[in-house]
Structures are given as C-alpha cells and as structure tokens.
Amino acid sequence: MAKILIPTPLRPYTDKQDAVDAAGATVGELLADLTRKHEGLKAHLYNDQGKLRSFVNVYVNDEDIRYLQKEQTPVAASDTVSIIPSVAGGAPTTTEQEVRAVPLHPDRELPALTNDEVKRYSRHLIMPEVGVEGQRKLKASKVLCIGAGGLGSPVAMYLAAAGVGTIGLVDFDVVDFSNLQRQILHSTPDVGRPKLASAKDKLTALNPEIEIRTHEVALSSENALELFAPYDVIVDGTDNFPTRYLVNDACVLLGKPNAYGSIFRFEGQASVFATKDGPCYRCLYPEPPPPGLVPSCAEGGVLGVLPGMIGMVQATETIKLIMGIGEPLIGRFLIYDALKMKFRELKLRKDPDCPVCGTHPTVTKLIDYDQFCGIAPTAPEPIAVNNATEITAVELKQRLDRGDKLKIVDVREPNEYQINKIAGSVLIPLGDVPKRYNELDPEDEIVVQCKMGGRSAKAADFLRSVGFKKILNLKGGILDWIDKVDPTQPKY
Amino acid sequence: MNSRQLTVTGGVDEAIRAHGQATYPHECCGALLGRDNHVSDIVALPNTTEEGPRRRFLVRPSDYREAERRASELGAELLGFYHSHPDHPARPSQYDLDHAWPTFAYIIVAVSGSASARQSADGAAAAGDMTVWYLKDDRSSFEEGSLQHGENSHPDTAQAVHG
C-alpha cells in the first residue's frame, strides 16, 4: 500500500482526489490497482499496447522510475508515488501535412502500349491504381541508377521488369567474385567483365522492350548535372559519402527526386529526398561523418539479401513517384533491421537553414565532395623514395626469406583471420590494440597488417604514439600479399 | 453554445503573444493558471524538446511541478498549457493530440514571420490567431473551445520564471 499523487488533469477520474491509496509491492502493481479503482485513468496512462505513455512520468519519492527498475521498482508503504505529466506538442511536420503523390510530368505525352506490352504488363493493367495510363507513364519515364552493385541490381531489375521505358546506369567497376553474394545483376561467368556490360545483358534479356543506357564513368561534380538532366528520378545506390552528397546536391539543384537507400551489415535505410517540399539528405545529415568513422561494406561486411530489401523499397518508391500514386516516403526515414526483422520510421522535416535546399542556400553549385567529406585526394605514388613507414608485400616476403626478425601483427577481426593469414602473424584486432600493445616489444621491428591497409595504418599511428619506433604498415594489406606473394590463399 | 469556454485577461493574451514572438522561429510554451476556466496568470516555461524547437515543445516534469507549485502559491489551479505554432495555423497537430492530457486547456497561438525573421533571432514576427482546445475523453480528437477575453483583474499578470 502506498500513496499515489494525482496531477491536476487526471483528478476528474479520481473523484477530484489529489492523492489515492493503492495496493501493491511495485510501481506496476500500484498503477494496476489504481486503474482498477479508477477505470477512466487507463486510456490516459497507458497506450494501446498496454505500455505507459511516453509523456507519463512516474516518480517514487524524487526518482524517475525510468532510472530505477521501471515498473518493477519496489514501493514501500512510506514511499510517495507521483504521476507527473510531461507536456508536449508542436506544429504539424511535413509527414502530418499529408504527403500526397504528385505525378512527375502531368503534361507529358504518353506513348501507346503495343500488344506485346499489354500482355507483358497485364498484372499491372488490371489494377485500377496503375491501369493503362500508369503503365504508359512508366514507359515514358527515365530513371537513372547510380551504381550497378548491391542496391542498383534489384532496383534496375525490378524497374526493367515493371516497364520503366529508359533505365540509365552509372558505374565503372568490374564484376568481382566478392560481388556475387548480393549483386544479382551479375553471374559467375561475368566475373572480370565491366558491370555495365553484364547489367545490360541481364536487363535486356529480362525486358527487350525498354532502353538501357550505360554511362561508364565515375560520377563527379563535373559530369553529374549533365548526366542527371535527361532523367526523371535518380536512384542513389552509392556506397560512399562523397558520392552520396554529390547525388543529393545535384538532385536538389536540378529539382529531381532522389530515391535514396543505403546498407551496412544487417541494417538498411531508405527515403525519398529532394522533392519540391520535402527534406533532402543534408536536412538529415548537414555534415558528413569524419572519414573512417563509418566503415564501408568492404570493411564491415553486408548481409547479401539486405540490398534486395532496401533496393526494392527504392524501386517501389520510384514507381510510385512516376505514377503519382500512394503515399511517398517523403519526410520519412525508414530504418530496417534484418536481424530483428523490424522496420522503424523517423520523421524528417525540411530544414529552412539547409545549406542546399533551405530558404537561403549557400551551396548553389556542385562542390568538391572529397574535400567536403575530409578525404584527401590520393597523392601520386612516391617514386624511388623509401617510405620508412610502409612496406610492400614483396619487400616483406624478401625480408622474411632473408631471415630478418620481423613481428607481424594482424589487426583484423578473428573471423577475418580465419579466412586467410600471413604465416607467423599474431592477431590483435584494432579495437584491442590500446589495451594489448604491451604484449609487443617496442624494440622489435613490427609489421602491422589488415585487409587493405586502412585499419593497420591507424594501429601503426597508435603504436608510434605510445613510443614504438620501428613500425611498418603492410601496404595493400593481406589482399596485396595474396596477389603478389601467396596466391594459394582465398580472398574476401 | 456547447463548447467549453476559457476566459483570458488582456494581460494574459498579450503575454502569450509576446512570448511566441520572442521565441520565434522556435515554439514557446508555458502554463495557464487561474480558476473556474478563467486564466489570470501564465508561467513561461523553457522549451526543452530535443526534437527541434521549431516544430516541438516539451515541458519537463520539473517545470510541470514548478507550475503546479506556482499555482498553489497564487491560490489558483493549473488550467492547462499554451504553445506557439511558428508559421503554422493555430490548430492542434497529430503530435499535440498524441501527447495531450485530459481536462487541460491547450491554447495555441500562430506566429508568422517574415523571411528575414527566420534568419535572425531578433527579426519581426507577428502573433496571429489564438485558439483553445480540449482533449476528448476517448482521446480520439480535440474539441475546440471558445476563447473569451475578460477584464484584466490584475495589471501585472504575466510572470516568467525562466528566461
């Protein structure tokens, strides 16, 4: 039994009493007893899922139960339990102002469908929301996919199947074995081919009625506006921050919607940016993260099916934008967790102070995005200068063969170490280096090594900072070692 | 007329508008104190939202307690809260509804600013419509009340406890 103090707005439900005695040994039991006695309180204290509403605060004496044991917090007879409102509210956000779909080009003349096309798209045509008109809009539309990789694959395949009349692809990469786990545009025989050649074959086989335009270039501030100009929707399937900001800014400058998606490990994100009234990527992230903070998929890995899920959200949103149906993912940021199999949604609003889409933009043309993201341009290889901080795979092999005493420290994760390793190396994952460096002898000559050389460079910097003098970073990491020295080992 | 009536004195009306203009382009918020549906005092409260004060306001539990304390000092009751909608109509949002408490009166004042006001903190902003709303008992929606203007019983009504 304890006393519960009732706040003013709830007193009409407790016969005007400002304090009610309730029975129970925990906060949860007391509140259950309270709502049994005063039924009307229930709807205001608990949500539909039976959880305490977020703006209902419960204090035991002067402590918020969120910092105690929540509803399991024990209560003695001498304790006073108070229900204290958080009062919150606000003006409607973009999402609440009913985001309506707007057809992209209402005045555009729509091409007719051939008999073959009617047959091919019949499952679309029989839905009144699409119908012949919607299909003709798809046929008239032009969509540009940035990247023909993890996200670009499902996006391009579904857009091609759905009958988007013109699909452009920007990529300059070559198909690698490590792509096949997720990039379903490409097959095993395509390894070594340009991704665009492989993509064009796949998409044309899927739907010969549509046009596939390939742009085998690295997207840059110099070519982006010209590349984007003929297209209606841009689908961002990039895997790095400079290109992501470049795509966003170019879309805002040209007034073209950006069907955005990104993936990492088990989590994906999607939204539609840069529509007339909606927010853009910079409204969400005005500044890029410091370089190296967010690892790429090559470093952190990615679940193979994840880009399928996110790419299909991008393709769905693209098709909705073209047809002008449904509620677009504008002003909403979708977060998908594959392990929990959960979708969450954050509300986004257009930032009036956004440097590119705000009321007084400061970014009015494309900038140097590598510099913006803090990535220094790659310096030309130093010629004939022996960089005393690095060692190449071939040099390392020569010195080991010569019998030099070198300690090799692998700073990758244990699961990577299981895939391949340099014989004789010891494993100290990068994150453990600060607490385990005393296992190493500062007098030894030490070679640090990871997959490609990035993490080991950080480890080298750290070790030098704590007084190690003879630290060499293996250039190109174990991948270079395998290419140049030990091709018997698998690469990942 | 069936709608609930809330009377505010001239001083209260002015103080709410002034508070909304001062915090523009951010939302302002505060407590309404009085008796028998007659607001005689307000307590300006800090907007502690972490979701962006242009579109949200949040009154902390400690400030809520402060408002209750101030009410009992004045021999009054806590009648409800007010907040501003910068560049939006004086109508409750879904978010207001989701976070509303029963029986409280919710006054909303629309504040609109010129483009320059949005850029600088001291730009001119003008308070417009002022409305009052009550949560329906089943939490399904708000009911608009009727806002009356009464005599200014105390000349020095508005007090701010937080800057």
Side-chain angles (χ1 to χ4, degrees):
Chain A
M1 186 74 90
K3 193 184 282 295
I4 303 180
L5 300 184
I6 307 294
T8 314
L10 296 182
R11 287 178 200 157
Y13 304 95
T14 57
D15 309 318
K16 301 243 153 99
Q17 304 172 80
D18 57 6
V20 175
D21 285 326
T26 64
V27 169
E29 289 170 18
L30 281 175
L31 292 178
D33 189 47
L34 175 71
T35 50
R36 242 192 320 274
K37 285 178 181 151
H38 303 284
E39 191 73 17
L41 287 173
K42 218 172 197 163
H44 300 297
L45 294 181
Y46 294 99
N47 65 16
D48 296 339
Q49 284 81 50
K51 292 232 166 66
L52 273 178
R53 291 185 184 273
S54 62
F55 50 92
V56 174
N57 307 292
V58 181
Y59 282 65
V60 173
N61 303 321
D62 275 330
E63 284 283 353
D64 188 332
I65 61 163
R66 290 188 187 96
Y67 306 110
L68 300 169
Q69 295 161 51
K70 308 212 166 84
E71 285 170 76
Q72 271 76 55
T73 306
V75 182
S78 56
D79 289 330
T80 301
V81 176
S82 331
I83 298 171
I84 300 177
S86 276
V87 177
T93 56
T94 324
T95 34
E96 289 161 25
Q97 296 161 357
E98 204 185 333
V99 177
R100 255 188 299 261
V102 182
L104 283 176
H105 298 284
D107 308 326
R108 182 183 276 171
E109 207 166 302
L110 298 176
L113 300 178
T114 65
N115 287 353
D116 280 347
E117 285 172 328
V118 170
K119 220 180 275 171
R120 177 182 285 266
Y121 305 123
S122 66
R123 297 298 186 277
H124 268 171
L125 303 179
I126 56 178
M127 290 194 291
E129 293 85 349
V130 180
V132 173
E133 200 195 332
Q135 194 63 49
R136 289 169 69 198
K137 284 182 188 164
L138 288 175
K139 186 175 178 179
S141 69
K142 300 184 178 72
V143 177
L144 182 65
C145 298
I146 314 296
L151 292 167
S153 286
V155 170
M157 287 186 82
Y158 270 100
L159 293 183
V164 167
T166 305
I167 297 176
L169 297 165
V170 185
D171 209 310
F172 62 97
D173 213 354
V174 170
V175 180
D176 183 83
F177 269 109
S178 68
N179 299 150
L180 302 177
Q181 160 254 25
R182 64 197 178 284
Q183 302 184 8
I184 56 167
L185 266 175
H186 317 297
S187 306
T188 309
D190 296 319
V191 171
R193 292 180 76 198
K195 283 189 179 173
L196 290 187
S198 151
K200 186 162 185 169
D201 287 354
K202 271 298 149 54
L203 297 172
T204 309
L206 175 60
N207 190 348
E209 312 278 352
I210 61 169
E211 185 189 346
I212 307 295
R213 292 185 192 164
T214 54
H215 307 279
E216 196 155 10
V217 290
L219 191 69
S220 71
S221 298
E222 284 69 47
N223 62 22
L225 295 178
E226 201 185 329
L227 263 176
F228 288 14
Y231 293 95
D232 304 318
V233 180
I234 313 299
V235 182
D236 181 356
T238 56
D239 57 359
N240 62 81
F241 288 95
T243 319
R244 203 167 283 159
Y245 280 95
L246 167 60
V247 171
N248 179 72
D249 291 1
C251 284
V252 172
L253 294 177
L254 291 167
K256 294 184 189 290
N258 170 7
Y260 164 83
S262 82
I263 47 171
F264 180 64
R265 291 175 55 83
F266 298 97
E267 223 181 73
Q269 310 174 334
S271 190
V272 172
F273 291 124
T275 56
K276 194 167 151 279
D277 300 311
C280 79
Y281 184 73
R282 281 197 198 233
C283 297
L284 174 65
Y285 297 118
E287 298 285 335
L293 182 73
V294 181
S296 68
C297 287
E299 287 172 354
V302 59
L303 188 70
V305 293
L306 180 66
M309 184 70 99
I310 298 300
M312 268 181 275
V313 172
Q314 293 175 280
T316 307
E317 290 304 310
T318 301
I319 286 172
K320 281 161 60 187
L321 286 169
I322 292 165
M323 295 198 290
I325 58 170
E327 290 166 35
L329 195 61
I330 297 170
R332 293 185 288 150
F333 193 68
L334 193 68
I335 301 174
Y336 166 68
D337 183 330
L339 290 181
K340 296 198 179 118
M341 194 45 75
K342 281 215 163 107
F343 286 91
R344 285 189 298 142
E345 202 179 290
L346 301 181
K347 290 175 181 176
L348 291 185
R349 61 195 181 89
K350 194 178 173 82
D351 180 359
D353 299 329
C354 174
V356 60
C357 80
T359 36
H360 297 276
T362 52
V363 176
T364 52
K365 58 183 190 351
L366 298 178
I367 59 172
D368 181 338
Y369 291 90
D370 281 334
Q371 194 189 31
F372 175 63
C373 295
I375 297 164
T378 24
E381 289 287 312
I383 304 159
V385 175
N386 183 15
N387 191 338
T389 61
E390 280 191 342
I391 184 169
T392 66
V394 174
E395 286 164 0
L396 176 61
K397 171 76 169 131
Q398 286 166 352
R399 293 196 54 189
L400 290 172
D401 288 348
R402 212 161 65 192
D404 286 0
K405 191 168 168 285
L406 290 171
K407 178 98 173 169
I408 301 171
V409 178
D410 189 329
V411 300
R412 296 175 300 159
E413 298 302 313
N415 51 330
E416 298 176 87
Y417 193 69
Q418 280 175 7
I419 303 171
N420 50 29
K421 60 174 81 65
I422 298 175
S425 61
V426 295
L427 176 70
I428 305 182
L430 179 61
D432 293 346
V433 172
K435 53 178 187 265
R436 287 182 55 193
Y437 70 88
N438 52 10
E439 295 171 22
L440 302 170
D441 184 345
E443 298 307 314
D444 280 351
E445 196 168 1
I446 295 172
V447 176
V448 285
Q449 153 258 315
C450 63
K451 183 184 180 188
M452 293 183 284
R455 281 173 285 174
S456 52
K458 286 182 198 153
D461 285 345
F462 174 80
L463 291 172
R464 285 188 202 105
S465 75
V466 294
F468 284 74
K469 295 281 185 293
K470 290 175 280 182
I471 302 288
L472 293 168
N473 182 23
L474 178 62
K475 211 175 153 212
I478 194 148
L479 293 188
D480 237 31
W481 173 264
I482 292 170
D483 281 343
K484 311 244 167 74
V485 176
D486 182 10
T488 60
Q489 293 207 57
K491 289 203 294 184
Y492 62 99
Chain B
M1 200 166 193
N2 292 331
S3 66
R4 291 177 63 173
Q5 285 197 1
L6 187 77
T7 309
V8 295
T9 61
V12 163
D13 180 272
E14 266 171 42
I16 292 175
R17 288 173 194 277
H19 192 195
Q21 285 165 195
T23 59
Y24 183 89
H26 297 162
E27 294 198 6
C28 72
C29 55
L32 307 169
L33 311 184
R35 288 199 152 277
D36 304 325
N37 297 316
H38 186 102
V39 183
S40 52
D41 292 272
I42 65 164
V43 183
L45 296 169
N47 182 357
T48 62
T49 184
E50 287 171 2
E51 289 182 59
R54 284 174 189 270
R55 286 281 170 272
R56 293 284 180 256
F57 80 90
L58 174 69
V59 175
R60 283 178 301 202
S62 54
D63 292 324
Y64 178 87
R65 281 182 152 171
E66 171 65 22
E68 288 254 28
R69 196 184 59 76
R70 182 61 65 94
S72 66
E73 262 177 26
L74 293 169
E77 282 170 13
L78 182 58
L79 297 179
F81 287 86
Y82 67 88
H83 70 280
S84 62
H85 276 183
D87 296 316
H88 274 282
R91 307 194 67 80
S93 64
Q94 181 64 39
Y95 192 84
D96 288 333
L97 179 64
D98 291 343
H99 293 81
W101 288 87
T103 68
F104 271 160
Y106 285 91
I107 287 182
I108 304 177
V109 61
V111 183
S112 59
S114 56
S116 62
R118 252 164 271 167
Q119 292 303 304
S120 66
D122 56 353
D129 278 353
M130 194 188 282
T131 54
V132 63
W133 304 83
Y134 295 92
L135 179 68
K136 280 189 186 164
D137 206 37
D138 61 1
R139 302 194 62 89
S140 62
S141 62
F142 277 106
E143 221 160 8
E144 185 163 7
S146 99
L147 197 61
Q148 309 288 318
H149 287 82
E151 287 301 305
N152 206 354
S153 46
H154 316 286
D156 181 29
T157 46
Q159 321 180 11
V161 292
H162 297 274

